[in-house]
């Protein structure tokens, strides 16, 4: 009886998802093929906006900065999160060592940027503490790297927490057996713990990959993609073209490109994880 009506139970949720998620994307994809300023009706231009993308030097800068964000996210928030989790796991009071890393995650990206703005500004606290005269937020690629540190400060805690959950899910028997065979330290981690944590690591890396490709709030509050356009990411370029320049057609083309890049990167990563 229940099976006959299962489609009816699922249909409202499926329709809601389709309306809220997929319909806006279809509309955005349509706008990417038009010239539209938000006032006059959209005018069909075909793939002209995508052709414009290929000739836009700002897009090359945005793509470079986005790739730096992706690579930096894998090394810093994910890598350091794993290191903190391993070092603080299974020791007395380990949870208290992790608390300082967890607190920044409660802040929004915009709030976090406001906290770090006086620290990273030219002549700010970082300059005074390091005894240097560096414009951390004004010179590329220093500005992108500086914002990556802010991002790390926020994301490190949650990655640590996820890796701790992974460590807690590992059965004790394989580790004790490996220790009886003489494994310890790096060898124990490399050959026993790390393989057992791979399913959770795939989730952590996948989430971090998608989040880094969509980076917006920290960059927008700290530099607004500047000076000039040298710290823009693809998400910031999309926002500026759409809502600052009111070029909805070109901004939609950037949005479609960002969606395709994020979807393709996620698909290739998950496919490799499933295959292995």
């Amino acid at each position: 009886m229940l099976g006959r009506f299962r489609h009816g139970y699922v249909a409202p949720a499926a329709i809601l998802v389709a309306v809220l998620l997929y319909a806006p994307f279809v509309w955005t994809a349509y706008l990417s093929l038009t010239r539209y300023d938000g006032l006059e009706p959209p005018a069909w231009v075909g793939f002209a906006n995508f052709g414009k993308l290929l000739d836009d030097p700002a897009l090359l800068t945005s793509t470079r900065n986005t790739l730096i964000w992706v690579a930096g996210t894998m090394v810093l928030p994910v890598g350091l999160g794993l290191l903190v989790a391993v070092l603080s796991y299974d020791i007395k009071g380990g949870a208290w060592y992790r608390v300082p890393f967890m607190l920044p995650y409660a802040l929004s990206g915009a709030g976090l940027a406001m906290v770090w703005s006086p620290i990273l500004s030219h002549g700010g606290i970082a300059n005074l503490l390091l005894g240097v005269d560096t414009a951390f937020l004004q010179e590329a690629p220093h500005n992108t790297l500086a914002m990556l540190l802010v991002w790390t400060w926020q994301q490190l805690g949650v990655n640590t927490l996820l890796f701790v959950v992974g460590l807690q899910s590992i059965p004790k028997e394989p580790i004790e057996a490996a220790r009886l065979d003489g494994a310890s330290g790096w060898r124990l981690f490399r050959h026993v713990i790390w393989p057992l944590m791979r399913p959770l690591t795939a989730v952590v890396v996948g989430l971090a990959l998608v989040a880094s490709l969509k980076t917006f709030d920290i960059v927008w509050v700290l530099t607004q993609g500047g000076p000039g356009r040298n710290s823009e990411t693809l998400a910031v370029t999309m926002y500026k073209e759409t809502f600052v320049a009111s070029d909805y057609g070109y901004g939609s083309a950037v949005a479609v490109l960002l969606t395709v890049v994020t979807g393709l990167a996620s698909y290739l990563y998950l496919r490799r994880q499933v295959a292995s």
Side-chain angles (χ1 to χ4, degrees), residues 22 25 29 43 60 76 141 146 151 170 219 234-235 250 263 267 273 275:
Y22 297 113
F25 177 74
L60 184 61
L76 295 176
W151 173 251
I170 296 176
V219 178
L234 285 173
Y250 187 58
Y267 169 75
Q273 292 301 315

Side-chain angles (χ1 to χ4, degrees), residues 132-150:
V132 298
D133 185 27
T134 303
F136 290 107
L137 297 177
Q138 297 176 11
E139 299 174 2
H142 292 154
N143 42 20
T144 297
L145 298 177
M147 290 185 285
L148 254 173
L149 291 178
V150 179

Side-chain angles (χ1 to χ4, degrees), residues 143-215:
N143 42 20
T144 297
L145 298 177
M147 290 185 285
L148 254 173
L149 291 178
V150 179
W151 173 251
T152 301
W153 194 62
Q154 184 192 40
Q155 296 293 317
L156 180 59
V158 68
N159 289 333
T160 299
L161 181 63
L162 290 172
F163 281 124
V164 168
V165 172
L167 289 169
Q168 290 173 337
S169 67
I170 296 176
K172 299 292 184 185
E173 291 79 5
I175 297 178
E176 292 173 358
R179 283 175 173 159
L180 288 175
D181 289 338
S184 62
W186 170 249
R187 286 184 58 202
L188 178 65
F189 176 79
R190 170 69 179 82
H191 297 289
V192 180
I193 296 176
W194 177 248
L196 293 172
M197 288 182 63
R198 285 194 64 180
L200 182 84
T201 303
V203 174
V204 175
V205 172
L207 292 174
L209 176 66
V210 172
S212 62
L213 285 169
K214 299 188 298 183
T215 301

Side-chain angles (χ1 to χ4, degrees), residues 56-136:
D56 189 350
L59 183 77
L60 184 61
T61 303
S62 301
T63 304
R64 180 203 66 189
N65 290 335
T66 302
L67 292 177
I68 292 176
W69 273 93
V70 171
T73 297
M74 296 303 112
V75 174
L76 295 176
V78 175
L80 291 179
L82 176 62
L83 180 64
V84 173
V86 171
L87 293 179
S88 64
Y89 180 69
D90 206 19
I91 64 172
K92 186 177 181 180
W96 290 105
Y97 290 113
R98 294 190 290 271
V99 169
F101 299 105
M102 292 298 303
L103 294 179
Y105 189 68
L107 298 175
S108 67
L112 202 71
M114 292 300 293
V115 170
W116 278 85
S117 180
I119 298 174
L120 297 174
S121 61
H122 194 200
I125 299 173
N127 280 173
L128 295 176
L129 292 177
L130 298 175
V132 298
D133 185 27
T134 303
F136 290 107

